[in-house]
Amino acid sequence: MGAPCCMSKFATLSNIRSRPFSSILPSHPFPSTTAINFSLASSFSSSATFSFTWDDVICVSESQTDTQDRSRYLQGFFNKVQLCNRASEKQSEFLPFVVEDHIVGFIHNGFVKHLRGFGDVFVFPKDKYNGGPNGDFVSLHPILKTAEERTRAVGYVVENLGEERIPGIRNELYPVTSSFGAPIFFSLERAAAPYFGIKAYGVHMNGYVEADGQKHLWVGKRSDTKQTYPGMLDHLVAGGLPHGIDCKENLIKECEEEAGIPRSISVKAIPVGAVSYMDIDEYRYKRDVLFCYDLKLPKDFIPNNEDGEVDSFKLIPIRQVAEVIRKTEFFKTNCSLVIIDFLFRHGYITPEYHGYLDLLRSLRIGEYS
């Protein structure tokens, strides 16, 4: 009785993006009844507050779905992947950011204007990388030779640009590198990472329980006071990879802070791969890689948030979690990619569904390095 009203209350996010995402869509289109609405998806904002309750989540998750319609079932998952891979056609608006002859990021022409006033930190050579309208690219002043000097100098710029230009400054540093494991050229304020288009890495963990013959996933609901994606659904444990810590230790730290999982349990988390995406939103260019982990938790485990960033948790059957992802915009966007990957690996998405390989490939559409 309640399912129809739930579904009409919350619109499904829609498709955007042409290339490169369109190149991996199924060769035969989905039926026209799965309409595309460009305005909804393009207006998605990480700072928007979403108002829904766990009752709404459960209502949607329990609504009936015809999983036998193999020609249409994956469409909702494709929509969520597209939300993480928007506006590739605007890549030409960004200039390469080059350090020591390595391209470490991409900066929008409009944001470059804010950097030109800091001539003792940034320089704008011509031609070498043929990156912009006049072959421009952005680099650091040659006087800045060490990682420490660069970190201080760029940090000074970020501080001066302030919240007006770079909202959400949190005094957490990300390493700036050309690829994962490569030398670190300097460290950059986390909130500034997408404005400089640097590669950012994170860890996401699927914390699940096996009960009554099926898997259940612990899902968190973010605090309404979070600077990004307030009030949205999230993984039990997830976090960016800051400077000076490896993936495993960072995951163990996040397990304790976000869900109260002791080290004796979190060390058993299994690394299962990674997903990647590239998303352009005005001056922001996100080039992210998320390292994925699975952790089978004891049936009697109850998560407890320690850092105030999570409002509450709920244990939900994984098939119902899949329905929430397919039908709503409740989840933080990149969490959907990691959970879709989980659905593949645990046999919930099978080759019998139309678009299987295209969807699988789309989970790693970003730069995988």
Side-chain angles (χ1 to χ4, degrees), residues 163-358:
E163 289 283 336
E164 180 181 358
R165 305 295 184 196
I166 304 175
I169 293 175
R170 58 184 77 185
N171 298 315
E172 180 180 341
L173 295 177
Y174 270 11
V176 177
T177 180
S178 60
S179 61
F180 187 70
I184 298 173
F185 298 113
F186 67 99
S187 297
L188 177 68
E189 158 63 38
R190 175 176 180 172
Y195 292 93
F196 288 85
I198 69 166
K199 291 181 178 177
Y201 303 89
V203 293
H204 279 234
M205 191 188 80
N206 301 293
Y208 70 97
V209 172
E210 289 187 342
D212 302 322
Q214 64 175 319
K215 293 181 175 67
H216 297 65
L217 195 68
W218 276 108
V219 176
K221 193 171 189 298
R222 294 163 71 88
S223 168
D224 288 336
T225 62
K226 285 280 289 182
Q227 291 178 321
T228 56
Y229 304 99
M232 297 188 72
L233 300 184
D234 203 340
H235 272 101
L236 176 64
V237 173
L241 188 63
H243 177 67
I245 188 171
D246 64 26
C247 289
K248 186 70 172 184
E249 284 302 317
N250 190 45
L251 183 72
I252 291 170
K253 176 181 72 70
E254 295 288 351
C255 278
E256 179 66 33
E257 294 175 355
E258 295 192 350
I261 303 175
R263 188 183 186 96
S264 59
I265 295 178
S266 61
V267 293
K268 299 175 183 177
I270 300 171
V272 292
V275 300
S276 64
Y277 55 93
M278 293 191 297
D279 185 65
I280 292 175
D281 179 16
E282 297 182 341
Y283 289 177
R284 296 160 50 88
Y285 192 169
K286 292 178 68 65
R287 301 190 300 143
D288 293 357
V289 176
L290 306 179
F291 295 100
C292 306
Y293 289 78
D294 286 355
L295 177 61
K296 183 178 178 180
L297 291 160
K299 292 182 181 180
D300 59 355
F301 170 77
I302 302 296
N304 178 45
N305 180 246
E306 305 284 346
D307 60 10
E309 295 187 356
V310 181
D311 176 72
S312 54
F313 298 96
K314 186 167 283 291
L315 187 64
I316 304 175
I318 187 62
R319 292 188 186 277
Q320 293 178 212
V321 174
E323 292 306 295
V324 175
I325 290 175
R326 287 182 63 248
K327 297 173 181 175
T328 77
E329 54 196 79
F330 291 170
F331 268 96
K332 180 173 175 282
T333 51
N334 60 4
C335 293
S336 294
L337 302 189
V338 180
I339 296 174
I340 293 170
D341 179 69
F342 183 93
L343 295 171
F344 271 106
R345 291 185 292 99
H346 290 264
Y348 294 94
I349 298 177
T350 68
E352 286 70 35
Y353 291 112
H354 178 59
Y356 175 89
L357 290 178
D358 295 319

Side-chain angles (χ1 to χ4, degrees), residues 33-157:
T33 52
T34 54
I36 295 174
N37 182 328
F38 287 80
S39 61
L40 262 176
S42 60
S43 64
F44 185 86
S45 170
S46 65
S47 60
T49 300
F50 286 76
S51 179
F52 61 87
T53 68
W54 283 117
D55 286 342
D56 296 319
V57 174
I58 298 304
C59 178
V60 171
S61 74
E62 293 178 344
S63 62
Q64 295 298 312
T65 294
D66 182 10
T67 59
Q68 300 305 312
D69 186 354
R70 295 172 179 174
S71 67
R72 296 180 51 183
Y73 180 73
L74 299 186
Q75 177 65 69
F77 297 132
F78 273 108
N79 292 345
K80 300 311 179 292
V81 176
Q82 286 178 293
L83 285 175
C84 290
N85 293 278
R86 300 174 296 174
S88 62
E89 71 278 3
K90 295 184 178 180
Q91 288 175 344
S92 62
E93 299 177 8
F94 290 76
L95 304 183
F97 180 28
V98 179
V99 180
E100 294 184 15
D101 291 330
H102 291 271
I103 296 178
V104 299
F106 295 90
I107 307 177
H108 193 276
N109 283 307
F111 194 77
V112 167
K113 295 177 182 178
H114 303 316
L115 304 182
R116 291 189 182 276
F118 299 91
D120 53 345
V121 179
F122 293 101
V123 293
F124 308 90
K126 303 283 185 179
D127 296 328
K128 186 175 182 181
Y129 289 89
N130 194 29
N134 298 307
D136 298 336
F137 66 100
V138 183
S139 190
L140 296 177
H141 197 288
I143 198 173
L144 302 172
K145 297 187 180 300
T146 69
E148 291 76 15
E149 291 171 343
R150 295 164 181 165
T151 297
R152 285 196 299 269
V154 178
Y156 168 80
V157 173

